[in-house]
Amino acid sequence: MTKEEQLYWTSPTNPLVVTNAKDYQIQFYDIHTPFMIMLETCHEAENLYSVYQFTQSNYQSSVFSKDNFKFVKDRPLHQHSCIEIMYVLSGSVTNHVENQVFTYEAGQCCIMNKNIRHCEDFSGEFQVVFFMLQDDFTSDLLKDHLDVMEHHEEPDEENLIFQLIADGKKEMLKFDKVYLDCFPMISADKILEILSPLFNSILKETIDWKAGSSFYIKGAFARVLQIMSDPTLFSINRIHSNSRSQEYLFSKISHIMRSSHGRCTREDLSTQLHYNGEYLNRIIKKYTGMTLLEYGQSIYLEEARKLLADTEKSISSIIEELGFSNRSHFYRLFEKYYGETPMNYRKRIHNKQK
């Protein structure tokens, strides 16, 4: 390790504290402040790599060239003393999560509990922001969320983000290895338009730090988590890292298929998951007994069945909502799956509910 590298990790001004390290091989990251923001940028083609760290009492920046950042690139998997949120601002970043490797694209987010061992690659072109939130800080966010939920007339569906926070405080679950994959339901640019004002205001208040900043920042973080929990903006997949690789891959396929109402081609899946299309088709066949086409049909027909049973939407609007251009084709498929026409199914279900 060069003198410059050693100074970077051991500097008393560095808000990121590295412990349990041998010969500066990083094992565990800790922060001694309620939260920390870290902005990483990689321009491999230009041999430029930068890390900016912000806390309420500290600012640290480091810019590396190809010749002096080997210690960052070669670091092993590590854990944190806090929950970490990774949001990809631009480009794509390769992340090693336990024993698997995934690529996260712009607009995607990963939220990891304390037990997940991970490490991103400094390669390619990307800009990523990390939010590291300590226990006391997340306890305040959780309390605010529960207070808000008490005043809702109808309880929301389970909020996976706040559930992750709550589970981390339970003795029986404190060793679980769990993380959340958050996929944008709209374009990455539109998501960033919504989140950027909050990201920027959190950063500004952190740098300026004046009366009321701590309250403002907690409120802004609470709003960020609320936005990420909005099912019209993000689809969230909860992953227990002890699951086997193919099981995890199928859960990701299923997640994408359901998010697209079953309208996802083999090429689309291959592009998003970075696996060969034929291999993905075999995974689907293994876990469902169906081809990709059949699996997609089962998803949108199940959605149609729920809409017929639970809403008053017309059959025509349901057909349009699910992307069918051929009404008779929809009727044939529905009758094949459920043994009766959509109209007869709706009448039978409604009569049972009376």
Side-chain angles (χ1 to χ4, degrees), residues 51-99:
V51 180
Y52 297 89
Q53 299 163 313
F54 304 87
T55 69
Q56 64 193 61
S57 58
N58 190 283
Y59 163 71
Q60 180 99 357
S61 67
S62 299
V63 180
F64 308 99
S65 67
K66 188 175 183 178
D67 295 331
N68 67 6
F69 96 117
K70 185 175 183 297
F71 75 107
V72 175
K73 194 165 186 175
D74 292 344
R75 58 188 169 158
L77 298 179
H78 60 267
Q79 294 175 233
H80 290 273
S81 65
C82 51
I83 282 180
E84 179 183 273
I85 301 171
M86 180 191 80
Y87 184 87
V88 184
L89 296 168
S90 64
S92 61
V93 60
T94 299
N95 205 14
H96 299 258
V97 182
E98 292 295 329
N99 60 343

Side-chain angles (χ1 to χ4, degrees), residues 107-154:
Q108 293 182 356
C109 174
C110 182
I111 304 176
M112 292 168 274
N113 76 2
K114 298 177 185 179
N115 303 315
I116 292 294
R117 301 181 72 241
H118 62 282
C119 188
E120 70 279 6
D121 279 351
F122 268 77
S123 60
E125 302 285 318
F126 67 80
Q127 187 170 62
V128 177
V129 63
F130 296 89
F131 299 107
M132 302 176 190
L133 311 179
Q134 284 284 28
D135 284 349
D136 288 346
F137 193 88
T138 57
S139 291
D140 288 343
L141 298 181
L142 181 60
K143 181 179 182 302
D144 179 73
H145 169 71
L146 295 175
D147 288 345
V148 170
M149 289 300 101
E150 280 187 5
H151 293 88
H152 278 204
E153 293 183 4
E154 295 184 8

Side-chain angles (χ1 to χ4, degrees), residues 97 102 104 110-112 116 178-181 237-239 248:
V97 182
F102 306 109
Y104 289 86
C110 182
I111 304 176
M112 292 168 274
I116 292 294
V178 176
Y179 64 99
L180 306 177
D181 271 348
N237 200 16
R238 183 181 185 274
I239 311 299
Y248 169 73

Side-chain angles (χ1 to χ4, degrees), residues 184-186 191 227 229-235:
M185 299 295 288
I186 60 178
I191 288 285
I227 290 170
S229 302
D230 186 337
T232 66
L233 299 177
F234 283 95
S235 182

